[in-house]
Amino acid sequence: MKKMKRETILPAALVLALFAGLFILERVLPASSTLFVVLKKGAIYALVAASMNLLNGFTGLFSLGQAGFMLIGAYTYAVFTIPAEMKPVVYQYYDHAIGFTLPVPVAILLAGVMAALFAALIGLPVLKLKSDYLAIATLGFAEIIRAVIQYDKLGPITNGSNMLKSYPKFSSVLFPFTVAGVCIAIILLLINSSYGRVFKAIRDDEIAAEAMGVNLFRHKELAFAISSFFAGISGALLAMFQSTVQASAFKSSMTYEILLIVVIGGIGSISGSVIASFLFVACSEWWLRFLDTEMFIGSFQVPFLRSGFRMVVFSVVIMVMVLFYRKGIMGDRELFQKRRDNKAKGVR
């Protein structure tokens, strides 16, 4: 009983301390602070990385379609939340087909549902494939959906290749943290449920799982849809963060970034994905920014420091991480699980 209480109290205390710290920071630092940019984007990437880890790390399905599902979620949210009076301005080249506006919470949920529905349809033929073939098929889907959304005939809904804007955004860092936190908590509950154990069984040995009576296709389809649902929600949050949505921004490189976060954090660790998300965003958006600025010491110009050098150094750091920490920051363990295991072994 004491152990169960400790397992519950420690994460709850950490979450409360985190939100209290964010609440204080918002009243101390200016809204334009880079720290808030990192925290907002980090929370969004933590959610999409956790959703990808659910599929790749816990079910063993190598999917590269995350950017496509985020795109569906982002467009669903934007299309259904643009105020009626702003639609003629946004859809200046088309006669807008959606004449009503949904509340923000409903639109965010709808974004996840639409992504899950597309995943369920795509999964019917795609989930019969395995390994690299599945990855190529899902990556192809992401590219196809990006091209379809920009199709001129769909302009009255998607605004074609033009951007969507003037929809509600979030100003407080507490909003993305709350939405992402609730979603990640649901993912953790799912992983620790009977469904989560089935997903892990499929990952470890499909033949043995099927011999035990597991319906492989049904559970793969379920994992694919659930992962895409949370990717759609993260897409809606990303749309709110960026203030505008344009399909051309959701390239395959976005999926590779998310996959990299999962690998750095540890395939099979949700807390690892969360930690790696904030480290990735902080390095790429904040800590290494000075490398893109030319620097002089007297009349001597420091070599290499110029636009683009930040990404070179960032790539080297990532290579070092992958080479020397092949299991990632957390491996396949969760934050408090690792602490308990270390304590059991006598590690202080």
Side-chain angles (χ1 to χ4, degrees):
M1 181 65 70
K2 290 182 178 179
K3 184 177 180 180
M4 289 299 294
K5 285 182 178 180
R6 186 166 61 251
E7 290 177 1
T8 306
I9 291 173
L10 286 176
L14 181 63
V15 170
L16 288 174
L18 175 63
F19 276 86
L22 293 174
F23 182 80
I24 294 171
L25 283 175
E26 284 196 323
R27 279 148 183 78
V28 174
L29 298 177
S32 59
S33 173
T34 307
L35 176 61
F36 290 139
V37 174
V38 171
L39 290 175
K40 291 174 184 177
K41 192 173 181 179
I44 296 167
Y45 270 56
L47 174 56
V48 68
S51 73
M52 192 176 199
N53 212 342
L54 171 65
L55 195 62
N56 291 23
F58 290 93
T59 315
L61 299 177
F62 188 28
S63 170
L64 292 177
Q66 224 68 4
F69 297 119
M70 290 181 71
L71 174 59
I72 293 171
Y75 263 78
T76 300
Y77 172 80
V79 166
F80 285 99
T81 55
I82 297 174
E85 63 273 13
M86 295 302 299
K87 287 183 184 289
V89 178
V90 176
Y91 291 87
Q92 55 181 323
Y93 302 109
Y94 303 96
D95 294 326
H96 57 275
I98 307 297
F100 59 92
T101 303
L102 295 177
V104 169
V106 176
I108 292 176
L109 283 175
L110 182 61
V113 170
M114 289 297 293
L117 287 175
F118 271 89
L121 293 174
I122 295 297
L124 293 175
V126 165
L127 290 179
K128 296 177 182 178
L129 304 173
K130 294 183 179 180
S131 188
D132 298 343
Y133 299 102
L134 176 60
I136 293 170
T138 51
L139 181 62
F141 157 73
E143 293 300 312
I144 290 170
I145 196 66
R146 185 161 62 92
V148 168
I149 282 181
Q150 297 179 87
Y151 182 47
D152 189 62
K153 297 295 183 182
L154 291 177
I157 299 175
T158 64
N159 205 22
S161 59
N162 305 303
M163 67 175 60
L164 294 173
K165 55 185 179 180
S166 301
Y167 50 78
K169 300 97 178 171
F170 56 75
S171 56
S172 172
V173 71
L174 293 174
F175 184 85
F177 263 80
T178 301
V179 176
V182 170
C183 291
I184 291 172
I186 294 173
I187 292 174
L188 284 170
L189 289 173
L190 176 65
I191 290 170
N192 293 311
S193 69
S194 58
Y195 284 101
R197 289 190 287 273
V198 172
F199 294 159
K200 294 174 187 176
I202 294 173
R203 175 198 63 189
D204 295 337
D205 194 329
E206 288 190 8
I207 297 175
E210 190 173 26
M212 294 297 293
V214 173
N215 187 323
L216 294 181
F217 180 80
R218 186 168 69 87
H219 284 89
K220 285 181 179 180
E221 181 87 349
L222 181 63
F224 195 47
I226 293 173
S227 173
S228 302
F229 173 82
F230 291 114
I233 290 180
S234 66
L237 292 176
L238 186 62
M240 299 176 77
F241 171 74
Q242 293 179 335
S243 301
T244 61
V245 174
Q246 197 163 17
S248 58
F250 291 79
K251 299 178 180 178
S252 56
S253 57
M254 180 179 290
T255 297
Y256 300 147
E257 287 182 353
I258 299 165
L259 178 61
L260 184 61
I261 289 171
V262 173
V263 172
I264 292 174
I267 298 177
S269 173
I270 298 299
S271 55
S273 295
V274 173
I275 294 169
S277 298
F278 287 100
L279 289 176
F280 178 88
V281 174
C283 287
S284 60
E285 301 286 340
W286 187 11
W287 294 340
L288 300 180
R289 279 285 180 184
F290 73 94
L291 296 173
D292 281 349
T293 306
E294 293 184 357
M295 186 181 300
F296 289 86
I297 301 177
S299 59
F300 174 75
Q301 181 179 0
V302 180
F304 303 116
L305 295 186
R306 58 177 56 88
S307 179
F309 186 62
R310 168 177 58 97
M311 296 309 299
V312 175
V313 175
F314 186 52
S315 300
V316 172
V317 172
I318 290 171
M319 288 174 61
V320 171
M321 283 287 300
V322 173
L323 286 173
F324 293 97
Y325 295 91
R326 295 184 180 181
K327 291 187 176 181
I329 296 172
M330 297 297 297
D332 58 353
R333 300 179 179 182
E334 300 300 340
L335 186 62
F336 293 101
Q337 178 187 351
K338 187 170 186 177
R339 178 181 175 182
R340 291 197 305 274
D341 289 351
N342 286 342
K343 287 180 69 176
K345 293 176 184 178
V347 178
R348 294 290 184 263

